[in-house]
Amino acid sequence: MRRSHARNRVESKSKSTTNPQKMDPIKLQIRSNSRSTALFSRNSRQTKPIPSFIAVSIAISLALFAFIYIVFFSSKGSVKYGIIIDGGSTGTRIHVIRYRVDGGKNPVFDFKEGLDSLRVNPGLSAYAEDLALAGYSLKELLEFARRKVPKKQWGETEIRLMATAGMRLLDDEVQERILEQCRKVLRVSGFKFRDDWASVITGNTMCMVLILDSMIVLGSDEGVYAWVVANYVLGTLGGNPLHTTGIIELGGASAQVTFFSNEPMPSEFSRSIKFGNITYSLYSHSFLHFGQNVAHESLRASLVNGDFSPAADSLHKEMYIDPCTPKGYFPESSNLSLGSVAEKSKYISEFKARGNFSECRSAALTLLQKGKERCSYDHCYLGSVFMPKLRGKFLATENFFYTSKFFLCLLLDQFFRLRQRAFLSDLIMAGKHFCEEDWSKLKKKHQSLNEEDLLRYCFSSAYIVALLHDSLEIALDDERISFANQVNDIPLDWALGAFILQSTSISDVQQTDWITIIMSSDSSTLISITAISAILMFAAWSISKWRKPQLKTVYDLEKGRYIVTRIGRS
Ligand SMILES: Nc1nc2c(ncn2[C@@H]2O[C@H](COP(=O)(O)OP(=O)(O)OP(=O)(O)O)[C@@H](O)[C@H]2O)c(=O)[nH]1
Ligand SMILES: [Ca+2]
C-alpha cells in the first residue's frame, strides 16, 4: 500500500499551526507502526522536515558561495592605502595611493582615480641651516594624507619618505640630521612608520636585493623606479624587453637615464628586474649635478672660473657675459625669488645678461663633457660615465617636458610648428628666438608664467640640445623620443614605481585578513555581505524551525477529543 504520508508532506507544512476548530474535514491517517490508538489528523498532515531541509541547505550553500565569491574573487577586493613622500631638491610632495588587493594576490592599482598628491616648496635640503623646519614642512602634507585615508586604516597604512638629489648634495651628517627631524614627525603621524622608511634613495650604488612576488630588483634607484612606472602604465612590463621604453629624466639637481640594454656593462650601472618569467637587464644611472637647476648654477660658476669664456670677452675683468640669460635681465628689476639677496647682488656684480643660444649651448656642452678625458670605456657620452648605446624608444620627463611644453605653446602662437617628431631641431630655432629676445618683452608676453621658470627657458632649451643631441647623440629629428610627464593621465613619477615594487612585496608577505576586507570594503561589498548575513540568519531560523517539533492536532478516539501531538519521529 502506498504510504499516504508521502502525498501529504508538502501541504501540511503550510497548515501545521492553524486552529483545530476551523480545520478542514477530518482525514483518516493510519500509521503503519503506531500503537493501537488510531490517530486522526484533521487536515493536518504529517509534516516531514524534508522540504525545509532542502530549502535550508540551498540557502546555506548559496550564502557560502556568495560570501566566498565576494571575499576571494570579486574584483572589489579590499581597499588599502600607501603613502610615499618624494623629497626633491626643489620641493617635497606627498603621494597618497589607494589600491585594491584581490584576495591576497597582487595589488591592483588605479593611479587615475586612486592617487592624490600635494607639493610644498622648498625641498628638504633648503633646511640645512634650520633643521626643525624640515620636519615642520611635512605637517601640511600629513594633514592632507589624513584627509585622504580613512582613520581606521591609518595604523596599517605605511608611509615612506624617499629623498633624492637635493639631499644627496648635502654632507651625510647634515642629511641624517634632516632625516631625523622628519622621523620625529612621521613617528607621531598616526600612519605606520619605521625609522628606516625615511631615507635618501640611492642614485647609483647597489641596494639590497628585493625579492618580490613578481619582481626581483637588484639594486633599485630613482631611475629604475621611473622605468617601472612608465612600463607598468604603458603595459610593456612583463613583455618583450626590446619593446620596453627607456626613461631620461631631467630633475632639478640630478638627471636619470634608465633603459633596457643587452650589452655587457659594469655592475655599478647594471640593474636586473624579473617580472613574471622575464628578466630585464637595465642600464641605470643618476647623474648628480646634471639636474637643470644645479647645472644652471654650475654653468654660471664655470663662466666665472673661466672654464668657458664666450666669444665676446667679458666687459671688464670682474664682469662676465651670461649667454644663458635674456639681455636686459637685472635681478633688482624683477621680483624674482632667485635665492637670497647675497646671490642677487653676486649676480649683479659678476654678470651681464646677454642671451645667446649658441654660446649657451656651447657652455652647457663644456659642462656635460667635463671629465671626458678620464673616460675608461670605449665611449662616454657624458663626462667619464659609462653608458651603452641608447636603444629603443624613450620618454623624456620632468624638465624635458616642462621646457617642451613651453616652447610648443610659444611657437604655436608664433605660427611656427614645433613638431613633436622633430622637437630638437625646432627647439634650436625656438631657443635662439627666445634667448635673444629682450627680458622686459618676455616678461610682458608671459605675465602668467612663474618668472623663475621663464628666466630659465633660455638655459633649458640650450642645455636640452647639448644633453640629448650633442652628448647622447640623439638625432635632431629622432622620432624615438617623446616628451611627457604622464601616460594615459598617469604621472610618470618615480615614487609610483617605488610604490609598485614595495606593495608587490607587501602583498607577497601579508595575506589580506578578512576583517580588513569587510571593514575596508566599499558600500556594494558591504551590502552584499549584509545580504549574505540575512540569508545565513534565515537559514539558521529555518533550521531551528525544522528542529523544533512540528506539532499537529488530532482527534483521539479513545479520549473522544482532539489532542496536540508531535509529528515525525516514529
Ligand atoms: N618650467 C617649469 N618647471 C617646473 C615645474 N614644476 C617643476 N619644475 C622644475 O622641474 C624640475 C624637476 O621637478 P622635480 O622633480 O620636482 O625636481 P626635484 O624632484 O625637486 O629635483 P630632483 O631632486 O633632482 O629630482 C625642477 O627643476 C623644477 O624646478 C613647472 O611647472 N614649470
Ligand atoms: Ca625629482
Side-chain angles (χ1 to χ4, degrees):
M1 172 184 151
R2 207 158 70 81
R3 291 174 57 142
S4 60
H5 67 272
R7 189 185 59 221
N8 299 326
R9 191 175 48 203
V10 175
E11 289 155 36
S12 62
K13 189 165 177 291
S14 57
K15 291 182 178 155
S16 58
T17 51
T18 47
N19 180 321
Q21 275 64 34
K22 295 186 189 129
M23 290 174 76
D24 297 336
I26 292 174
K27 292 205 174 104
L28 181 62
Q29 180 163 5
I30 309 261
R31 294 167 58 108
S32 53
N33 54 2
S34 65
R35 296 182 307 281
S36 58
T37 310
L39 297 174
F40 284 82
S41 66
R42 203 181 141 93
N43 194 32
S44 60
R45 294 164 189 70
Q46 276 195 350
T47 51
K48 293 287 177 206
I50 295 175
S52 53
F53 177 76
I54 291 175
V56 165
S57 46
I58 292 168
I60 291 175
S61 43
L62 271 178
L64 285 177
F65 169 73
F67 191 68
I68 288 165
Y69 172 76
I70 280 183
V71 167
F72 286 102
F73 302 105
S74 75
S75 59
K76 295 290 180 201
S78 65
V79 176
K80 286 180 164 292
Y81 293 82
I83 302 172
I84 301 260
I85 298 177
D86 166 2
S89 61
T90 60
T92 305
R93 69 230 76 179
I94 195 165
H95 301 288
V96 181
I97 301 156
R98 185 175 66 248
Y99 65 102
R100 293 188 181 284
V101 182
D102 52 354
K105 292 270 181 304
N106 260 337
V108 179
F109 304 110
D110 172 1
F111 289 129
K112 260 189 203 164
E113 304 305 324
L115 174 67
D116 293 292
S117 303
L118 180 71
R119 177 189 178 118
V120 293
N121 294 335
L124 293 172
S125 48
Y127 299 109
E129 309 301 324
D130 205 338
L131 295 171
L133 285 181
Y136 188 76
S137 73
L138 303 182
K139 282 198 182 301
E140 184 185 349
L141 298 176
L142 294 172
E143 277 152 24
F144 171 80
R146 281 191 280 266
R147 291 197 298 272
K148 298 295 176 187
V149 180
K151 187 162 189 173
K152 61 179 183 293
Q153 289 184 265
W154 290 0
E156 66 180 56
T157 299
E158 298 187 0
I159 186 166
R160 284 173 169 80
L161 167 68
M162 305 167 84
T164 58
M167 287 278 275
R168 277 185 230 128
L169 291 170
L170 300 176
D171 296 344
D172 292 353
E173 191 231 333
V174 177
Q175 288 181 33
E176 191 48 39
R177 280 162 53 192
I178 290 177
L179 287 176
E180 190 47 36
Q181 291 297 321
C182 295
R183 290 185 186 114
K184 280 181 190 166
V185 173
L186 292 171
R187 285 184 200 121
V188 296
S189 64
F191 296 115
K192 186 175 178 184
F193 173 69
R194 284 183 355 206
D195 281 2
D196 59 333
W197 288 353
S199 62
V200 178
I201 61 169
T202 59
N204 303 308
T205 46
M206 293 292 277
C207 289
M208 64 176 177
V209 175
L210 288 176
I211 310 290
L212 310 176
D213 179 51
S214 53
M215 284 189 183
I216 293 183
V217 181
L218 276 170
S220 44
D221 59 25
E222 190 177 347
V224 169
Y225 293 146
W227 184 89
V228 165
V229 67
N231 286 283
Y232 180 89
V233 174
L234 288 166
T236 43
L237 201 56
N240 184 336
L242 292 171
H243 297 161
T244 56
T245 296
I247 287 284
I248 309 181
E249 195 178 358
L250 185 54
S254 67
Q256 283 69 244
V257 180
T258 304
F259 59 97
F260 167 75
S261 170
N262 45 23
E263 277 186 39
M265 63 181 91
S267 59
E268 68 265 32
F269 299 100
S270 170
R271 301 287 185 274
S272 181
I273 279 200
K274 188 176 183 314
F275 191 85
N277 54 10
I278 297 194
T279 298
Y280 298 91
S281 59
L282 303 180
Y283 167 85
S284 183
H285 190 72
S286 180
F287 296 82
L288 197 51
H289 303 288
F290 282 8
Q292 177 181 274
N293 303 34
V294 171
H296 195 184
E297 287 150 29
S298 307
L299 185 140
R300 283 184 174 149
S302 70
L303 294 172
V304 174
N305 301 340
D307 295 351
F308 173 81
S309 53
D313 285 345
S314 57
L315 297 171
H316 312 290
K317 272 302 152 222
E318 66 284 359
M319 289 293 280
Y320 300 90
I321 300 295
D322 174 2
C324 298
T325 303
K327 60 182 177 299
Y329 165 70
F330 195 72
E332 286 320 306
S333 64
S334 67
N335 55 9
L336 202 53
S337 62
L338 189 71
S340 60
V341 172
E343 280 173 19
K344 283 187 186 177
S345 53
K346 183 171 184 306
Y347 186 86
I348 294 168
S349 63
E350 290 181 336
F351 293 100
K352 180 145 186 60
R354 187 180 298 166
N356 179 310
F357 179 86
S358 306
E359 288 183 11
C360 183
R361 176 181 171 184
S362 306
L365 185 57
T366 305
L367 195 68
L368 291 166
Q369 297 302 312
K370 215 169 178 179
K372 191 151 191 165
E373 68 285 355
R374 296 195 304 275
C375 177
S376 55
Y377 307 102
D378 294 347
H379 180 59
C380 294
Y381 292 95
L382 288 168
S384 59
V385 175
F386 170 82
M387 187 187 295
K389 185 164 179 46
L390 296 181
R391 280 195 181 291
K393 291 180 289 196
F394 282 86
L395 278 172
T397 64
E398 292 195 345
N399 272 309
F400 287 125
F401 168 72
Y402 296 125
T403 301
S404 71
K405 188 175 83 172
F406 171 74
F407 282 103
L408 266 170
C409 302
L410 181 70
L411 291 161
L412 284 176
D413 289 350
Q414 297 167 4
F415 303 115
F416 287 84
R417 293 290 306 159
L418 186 64
R419 301 148 297 170
Q420 268 280 6
R421 68 180 182 286
F423 172 70
L424 289 177
S425 55
D426 290 351
L427 184 61
I428 291 174
M429 175 188 62
K432 275 184 185 312
H433 197 80
F434 183 87
C435 285
E436 283 137 32
E437 180 74 276
D438 191 87
W439 173 243
S440 55
K441 284 189 190 153
L442 289 172
K443 272 201 308 181
K444 207 175 289 170
K445 207 182 289 180
H446 306 285
Q447 290 173 32
S448 61
L449 292 187
N450 169 301
E451 262 194 31
E452 202 155 340
D453 291 340
L454 185 65
L455 183 67
R456 216 186 288 281
Y457 284 134
C458 170
F459 167 74
S460 183
S461 57
Y463 186 63
I464 288 173
V465 173
L467 177 56
L468 296 183
H469 177 65
D470 301 335
S471 302
L472 297 181
E473 302 170 7
I474 292 174
L476 290 178
D477 59 352
D478 194 326
E479 299 193 10
R480 293 176 305 156
I481 192 159
S482 308
F483 296 76
N485 246 13
Q486 296 191 343
V487 169
N488 305 333
D489 299 329
I490 294 167
L492 296 174
D493 207 307
W494 64 263
L496 302 186
F499 185 75
I500 289 169
L501 296 184
Q502 280 147 14
S503 49
T504 309
S505 63
I506 294 171
S507 70
D508 190 37
V509 173
Q510 297 162 359
Q511 290 309 317
T512 308
D513 56 273
W514 292 29
I515 301 300
T516 310
I517 289 173
I518 293 172
M519 298 314 291
S520 57
S521 308
D522 58 17
S523 51
S524 54
T525 314
L526 286 176
I527 290 168
S528 321
I529 290 174
T530 313
I532 288 153
S533 318
I535 294 171
L536 284 171
M537 282 189 286
F538 168 72
W541 174 80
S542 312
I543 291 171
S544 63
K545 279 285 297 154
W546 170 47
R547 303 294 304 153
K548 214 160 77 187
Q550 294 292 316
L551 304 176
K552 73 173 183 181
T553 310
V554 296
Y555 187 78
D556 186 315
L557 286 174
E558 278 179 3
K559 294 177 187 149
R561 61 182 170 78
Y562 287 100
I563 60 169
V564 177
T565 174
R566 183 187 292 268
I567 297 172
R569 279 192 290 278
S570 49

